[in-house]
Amino acid sequence: QRAISLLLNCGVKITDEQILEMIAKEINQKAMDALRRQNFAEAQHLFFENAKRNPSHKTYNNLGYYLISEGLECKRGKARNALKLGIKYLNKASEMDFSVTNVCSKVDAINLMLEDAKNEEKVALYQEAYDLLKKALEIDYSDELQHNMLRFSYLINPYNKENIEKAKQLTERNSSYEIVSLYFYMLLANSLVKEGNDCIEKFGHIL
């Protein structure tokens, strides 16, 4: 707010929307500073305050991500699981702006849900994550998004030959451990011995 006052005093024209965005950024920065100090009660208060005072896909995403990763701070410093509440805010964020950032936050929430999900629930979660990542790739391609989409596709159906070819092409562009190991697991699952040996010969130093 001090920066806003300085700009106004200098005669700089600022719209109401710009002012709200600057205030939201300032509050979010304070919340992140509180997190770095491990003051979760203060961080939580600021994230909630920001979402209430400045409702936007950014403030909803920040609050939702905080809740799924840190939980809900209760009395006496205890925290309880707030995954469902966090997802509620992440859904609000993606409804307002279906961006790659908001999609990836929802996928992170699904990864946390999978930790406690029953076997019969997992396939539906895999499919939901796959569908989200597929849409994200239509917005903006990255090797990381492609890798994550292939990972969930592999979990849905390990024997999809089309995925093996896509994973192979991805390793030719990006030979990170995560990408190469996914390709290698696909080869093992499909008993492709020659291709597996070729993968070890080429990427053994990574695996």
Side-chain angles (χ1 to χ4, degrees), residues 14 46-47 55 85 96 99 112 142-143 151 168 180 196 198:
I14 310 174
L46 289 166
F47 281 126
L85 182 59
M96 296 176 78
S99 66
L112 288 171
S142 75
D143 289 342
R151 179 170 68 88
K168 180 182 179 182
V180 172
D198 290 344

Side-chain angles (χ1 to χ4, degrees), residues 70-89:
E70 303 297 340
L72 190 64
E73 191 81 6
C74 301
K75 293 180 179 179
R76 298 178 184 175
K78 292 185 178 180
R80 65 177 177 85
N81 185 294
L83 195 53
K84 288 184 179 179
L85 182 59
I87 291 170
K88 175 185 172 182
Y89 283 103

